[in-house]
Amino acid sequence: MFLKPLFDLFFPQICFGCGNRISYKVPADFDNLRQQKLWEINRYLCPACLENLVVLSDDICPKCGNPLLASGCPHCTKTKFVFTAARSVFLFDERTQRLVHGLKYYSFLKIAPVLAAYASLYLENHWKWQKPDIIIPVPLHKVKFRERGFNQSAEIGRWLAEFSSIEYRDDIILRNRYTRTQTSLGRKERHKNVKNAFDISPKHSLKNKTVLLLDDVFTTGATCNSLARLLIDKKAQQVFVLTIARPS
Ligand SMILES: [Zn+2]
Ligand SMILES: [Zn+2]
């Protein structure tokens, strides 16, 4: 094809996971857009790194989705989660970390639909509950949004909504005032910070709705838990959390 060599010249294909050069053959045809996006992970990860991706479907905490340790779940012993359950598609290892960071910090927005396609597949194959009615992305701190220009969770959420035919809403959770970014805060402070930071738009009814909160990475779960509490207060029937990755 005429354009292909030019494309390679400008975007040499290097594996996000290990830095090796990637060579691949683009299939002639795809059945649908999701299938194409699932395949596109081959542009970012070499076959060896792809094979080592860990999907978190078994041996996880039934509540928060953390990989189970012999001592139980380190999160659920510390926090009383109010969401029905949280799940993550992948283990946050060096490969998935670099994919997520590529999207987040290097603005590789083309990674968003690829990650969303895998999230959609996860909903199809590993979701034990009813299909969510609405996908809501976890909002990004205003300062970070200004710096970054986009919210990575919204970018992924929009595509996930399309691939899984679920309503997408980013106008339901509102940030109601300036808050500190979470990074420098301890666990308790984080909870308080988040509780004060958000509001639910009065324009929407969540009655009898099953909500899926979408975020890129699950760390302590504090933000998602506080958001879930707000949504439940506004009569959401169930709130689930789905993230692309989480560390063990
Ligand atoms: Zn690799
Ligand atoms: Zn747990």
Side-chain angles (χ1 to χ4, degrees), residues 72-129:
C73 176
H75 294 286
C76 289
T77 48
K78 281 193 205 124
T79 311
K80 169 105 186 68
F81 290 126
V82 298
F83 46 71
T84 305
R87 289 292 181 267
S88 301
V89 181
F90 296 115
L91 181 69
F92 193 63
D93 56 15
E94 60 219 14
R95 290 164 286 270
T96 48
Q97 178 183 34
R98 287 182 190 148
L99 282 180
V100 169
H101 285 183
L103 165 64
K104 223 163 145 171
Y105 302 124
Y106 299 93
S107 305
F108 276 100
L109 290 174
K110 284 182 173 173
I111 294 175
V114 177
L115 297 176
Y118 278 88
S120 161
L121 200 66
Y122 189 92
L123 287 185
E124 216 169 276
N125 294 336
H126 304 295
W127 200 248
K128 297 189 182 77
W129 307 275

Side-chain angles (χ1 to χ4, degrees), residues 61 63-66 73 75-76:
C61 169
K63 183 75 178 177
C64 80
N66 197 70
C73 176
H75 294 286
C76 289

Side-chain angles (χ1 to χ4, degrees), residues 130-178:
Q130 68 177 92
K131 188 174 170 179
D133 300 305
I134 318 172
I135 291 174
I136 301 180
V138 170
L140 191 66
H141 192 276
K142 273 201 179 93
V143 174
K144 285 194 179 162
F145 187 83
R146 220 176 298 137
E147 283 167 8
R148 199 171 294 164
F150 63 92
N151 172 1
Q152 68 282 353
S153 302
E155 296 298 321
I156 299 166
R158 255 194 294 273
W159 282 98
L160 174 59
E162 184 176 331
F163 292 142
S164 296
S165 305
I166 301 172
E167 189 186 356
Y168 170 83
R169 300 303 296 248
D170 58 10
D171 56 350
I172 290 179
I173 299 177
L174 311 169
R175 277 203 180 265
N176 61 8
R177 71 165 99 146
Y178 180 82

